[in-house]
């Protein structure tokens, strides 16, 4: 079925290309990381990343093809490889859009959410398990969607037609869930077919006043949950997907110099005896101070995340690998008034339930308009009493450097 679907998309894409103007963009990046690690993990890695995006437009029709490639140096230097090298079709879709509606068919990536540290409602695409978990690297989802535009709002119905499998890095990689001599089964198990459609209904809009502006979004899903769980047979892990009814919302309110943010979801499990209904809530505030004498700006950030399962004797947050279950984030954003769009963001995430701390500092700038430089430092102090994700990694410190050429 997927093969036939890809052939159909290819025909539509090529027919659009025949009458269209091509636009090309992308980047080539070198990513280097050094970290303290367990003795059976690599202490550093160098990764080459490439992205190529082709866009075609003709009147109301457009098509997009995006490829992403990644090569980890350890996969080519010795037998203790990380299994993080691959080529992936990120997006491959065509759409028809007028002033009143839009129709899309293909594989694409959607972004939902409002907060700084984590978007708990950004559930349409799965995150690739072979990449750096501290960056967003989502896998495109096969879907057909229809969106209708109103004056200040939009309604969409989206049908995801296939629930994708995931892969993870080998046990040598610091962020792999595997320990030495453990393996991961790339099959995705579910009681229903992976071709069982997941249906999304979304409604989003904006409203404005003299002193405020409000953006809001409501989402309902009937289909496969973005949260998955693992079972273990001998030394092999198996991933499981299950069906849910899911209700989500994300909103931002700007009032004077302050931005208020809200993301929330409730998940009702349709059928899986191992998983409980659960809720996830995230609220945040970002206040921008008046510009300094040199034009630079300072933003003060605070966010709180709460996650809870509603039934006992089922998998809990630790079993599901959920980090943001009772966490407070306090941070600061510094925006430089320069032509390179330089900015720095830093802060601390305090886990008030398991007594963990995570500190980080990011800095980004442009060089000669074609190079982007990113520097990243992180330090995690894990729980000493519970088997959380951070405690399984151990006390952890890392320095990361990324330079990319954009075209």
């Amino acid at each position: 079925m997927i093969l036939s679907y890809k052939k159909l998309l290819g025909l539509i894409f090529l027919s659009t290309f025949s009458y269209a103007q091509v636009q090309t963009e992308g980047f080539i990046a070198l990513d280097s990381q050094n970290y303290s690690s367990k003795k059976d993990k690599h202490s550093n890695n160098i990764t080459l990343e490439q992205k190529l995006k082709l866009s075609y437009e003709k009147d109301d029709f457009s098509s997009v093809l995006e490829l992403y490639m990644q090569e980890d140096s350890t996969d080519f230097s010795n037998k203790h490889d990380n299994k993080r090298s691959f080529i992936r079709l990120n997006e491959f879709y065509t759409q028809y859009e007028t002033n009143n509606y839009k129709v899309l068919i293909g594989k694409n990536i959607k972004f939902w959410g409002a907060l700084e540290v984590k978007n708990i409602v950004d559930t349409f695409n799965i995150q690739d398990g072979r990449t750096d978990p501290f960056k967003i690297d989502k896998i495109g989802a096969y879907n057909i969607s229809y969106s209708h535009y109103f004056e200040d709002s939009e309604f969409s119905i989206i049908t995801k037609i296939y629930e994708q499998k995931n892969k993870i890095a080998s046990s040598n990689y610091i962020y792999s869930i595997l320990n030495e001599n453990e393996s991961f089964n790339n099959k995705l198990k579910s009681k229903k077919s992976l071709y069982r459609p997941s249906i999304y209904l979304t409604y989003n809009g904006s409203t404005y006043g003299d002193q405020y502006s409000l953006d809001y979004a409501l989402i309902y899903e009937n289909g496969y949950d973005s949260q998955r769980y693992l079972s273990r047979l001998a030394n092999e892990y198996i991933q499981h997907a299950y069906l849910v009814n899911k209700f989500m919302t994300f909103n931002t309110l700007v009032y004077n110099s302050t931005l208020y943010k809200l993301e929330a979801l409730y998940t009702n499990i349709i059928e899986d005896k191992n998983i409980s209904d659960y809720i996830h809530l995230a609220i945040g505030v970002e206040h921008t101070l008046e510009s300094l004498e040199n034009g630079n700006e300072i933003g003060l950030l605070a966010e709180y995340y709460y996650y809870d399962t509603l039934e006992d004797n089922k998998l809990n947050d630790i079993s599901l690998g959920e980090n943001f279950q009772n966490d407070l984030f306090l941070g600061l954003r510094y925006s430089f008034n320069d032509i390179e769009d330089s900015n720095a963001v830093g802060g601390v995430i305090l886990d008030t339930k398991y007594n963990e701390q995570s500190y980080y500092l990011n800095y980004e700038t442009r060089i000669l308009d074609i190079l982007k430089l990113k520097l990243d430092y992180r330090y995690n102090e894990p729980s000493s009493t519970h088997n959380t994700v951070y405690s399984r990694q151990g006390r952890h410190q890392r320095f990361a450097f990324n330079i990319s050429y954009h075209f």
Side-chain angles (χ1 to χ4, degrees):
M1 180 174 179
I2 283 294
L3 181 60
S4 301
Y5 179 64
K6 287 183 177 179
K7 288 181 177 178
L8 175 61
L9 282 178
L11 291 174
I12 297 173
F13 188 86
L14 291 175
S15 64
T16 306
F17 166 71
S18 301
Y19 299 95
Q21 168 122 21
V22 59
Q23 295 181 341
T24 304
E25 60 181 287
F27 67 80
I28 300 174
L30 180 67
D31 190 70
S32 176
Q33 299 173 352
N34 281 270
Y35 25 68
S36 57
S37 64
K38 297 180 180 179
K39 62 181 181 180
D40 59 335
K41 306 281 187 178
H42 289 303
S43 60
N44 61 80
N45 63 272
I46 299 175
T47 308
L48 185 64
E49 304 169 334
Q50 308 98 56
K51 180 181 287 186
L52 174 64
K53 183 176 182 179
L54 303 176
S55 303
Y56 304 92
E57 295 183 2
K58 176 64 176 179
D59 299 328
D60 294 329
F61 284 94
S62 63
S63 295
V64 170
L65 185 150
E66 181 179 289
L67 295 172
Y68 175 76
M69 292 164 283
Q70 176 175 290
E71 299 88 31
D72 188 310
S73 60
T74 65
D75 294 337
F76 303 96
S77 61
N78 56 61
K79 63 181 179 180
H80 303 293
D81 59 272
N82 284 335
K83 295 185 178 179
R84 298 182 61 239
S85 301
F86 58 88
I87 180 170
R88 187 180 70 218
L89 181 63
N90 268 357
E91 295 190 297
F92 182 37
Y93 66 86
T94 189
Q95 67 180 20
Y96 178 79
E97 184 172 17
T98 70
N99 292 331
N100 298 318
Y101 67 89
K102 178 177 70 176
V103 179
L104 180 147
I105 177 172
K107 183 180 186 180
N108 77 322
I109 294 173
K110 301 182 185 299
F111 293 91
W112 295 335
L115 278 88
E116 171 73 24
V117 177
K118 181 179 181 179
N119 300 120
I120 62 173
V121 300
D122 196 16
T123 59
F124 186 75
N125 304 95
I126 61 173
Q127 178 87 0
D128 198 312
R130 296 166 293 182
T131 53
D132 184 351
F134 294 111
K135 76 173 186 178
I136 298 174
D137 185 32
K138 298 189 291 187
I139 299 174
Y142 296 98
N143 70 100
I144 301 171
S145 68
Y146 171 81
S147 301
H148 190 86
Y149 304 135
F150 302 98
E151 184 175 356
D152 293 313
S153 61
E154 174 184 336
F155 171 78
S156 299
I157 179 168
I158 308 167
T159 303
K160 187 194 293 186
I161 61 175
Y162 178 65
E163 189 64 18
Q164 290 178 284
K165 305 167 187 176
N166 205 348
K167 295 181 180 180
I168 65 171
S170 76
S171 62
N172 299 305
Y173 184 50
I174 182 74
Y175 299 119
S176 174
I177 64 171
L178 303 176
N179 293 315
E180 193 174 9
N181 299 321
E182 293 181 337
S183 62
F184 181 75
N185 189 323
N186 290 326
K187 295 181 180 179
L188 179 61
K189 287 200 171 184
S190 67
K191 292 185 178 180
K192 302 293 185 181
S193 168
L194 298 180
Y195 295 100
R196 191 274 195 194
S198 294
I199 308 298
Y200 297 80
L201 303 177
T202 73
Y203 182 75
N204 61 276
S206 302
T207 182
Y208 305 92
D210 293 336
Q211 294 183 312
Y212 75 92
S213 64
L214 172 67
D215 294 317
Y216 58 89
L218 303 171
I219 304 170
Y220 166 73
E221 179 203 357
N222 175 271
Y224 283 106
D225 196 7
S226 57
Q227 177 180 264
R228 296 174 178 176
Y229 69 93
L230 299 174
S231 64
R232 182 173 175 175
L233 181 62
N235 287 329
E236 182 180 68
Y237 285 94
I238 302 170
Q239 193 174 52
H240 298 262
Y242 52 90
L243 297 174
V244 298
N245 288 306
K246 201 178 192 82
F247 304 87
M248 297 177 282
T249 184
F250 64 94
N251 313 269
T252 59
L253 172 66
V254 178
Y255 184 79
N256 294 329
S257 299
T258 304
L259 174 63
Y260 302 92
K261 312 172 189 180
L262 168 68
E263 296 185 30
L265 64 86
Y266 165 72
T267 304
N268 166 246
I269 310 301
I270 294 178
E271 53 172 359
D272 195 299
K273 63 181 181 179
N274 298 303
I275 300 295
S276 163
D277 293 356
Y278 65 91
I279 59 174
H280 211 165
L281 173 69
I283 56 176
V285 60
E286 180 173 349
H287 179 71
T288 301
L289 302 177
E290 294 184 4
S291 298
L292 306 178
E293 291 183 2
N294 55 8
N296 298 354
E297 290 185 345
I298 297 177
L300 306 178
L301 300 94
E303 295 177 353
Y304 175 71
Y305 297 82
Y306 178 78
Y307 175 96
D308 192 23
T309 54
L310 304 181
E311 301 173 66
D312 297 330
N313 302 319
K314 294 189 176 182
L315 296 178
N316 59 15
D317 56 293
I318 290 181
S319 302
L320 295 167
E322 177 56 58
N323 273 338
F324 291 82
Q325 78 300 107
N326 201 339
D327 291 36
L328 176 65
F329 165 67
L330 300 173
L332 184 147
R333 187 197 312 278
Y334 192 93
S335 299
F336 298 84
N337 181 30
D338 58 17
I339 60 175
E340 292 82 17
D341 293 329
S342 304
N343 69 89
V345 181
V348 57
I349 303 170
L350 304 172
D351 189 321
T352 61
K353 185 175 182 179
Y354 301 125
N355 192 27
E356 294 184 318
Q357 301 93 46
S358 178
Y359 304 85
Y360 79 94
L361 177 63
N362 294 330
Y363 172 77
E364 295 186 14
T365 190
R366 289 204 318 266
I367 303 174
L368 302 176
D369 282 335
I370 59 172
L371 298 177
K372 181 178 287 188
L373 174 67
K374 299 180 182 179
L375 302 176
D376 176 271
Y377 170 77
R378 295 180 184 268
Y379 175 80
N380 294 337
E381 183 66 35
S383 171
S384 60
T385 57
H386 293 80
N387 188 32
T388 65
V389 173
Y390 287 158
S391 68
R392 291 193 288 270
Q393 292 176 359
R395 184 177 287 107
H396 178 63
Q397 180 175 230
R398 87 167 196 176
F399 298 89
F401 167 89
N402 183 289
I403 188 166
S404 57
Y405 165 71
H406 293 256
F407 55 87

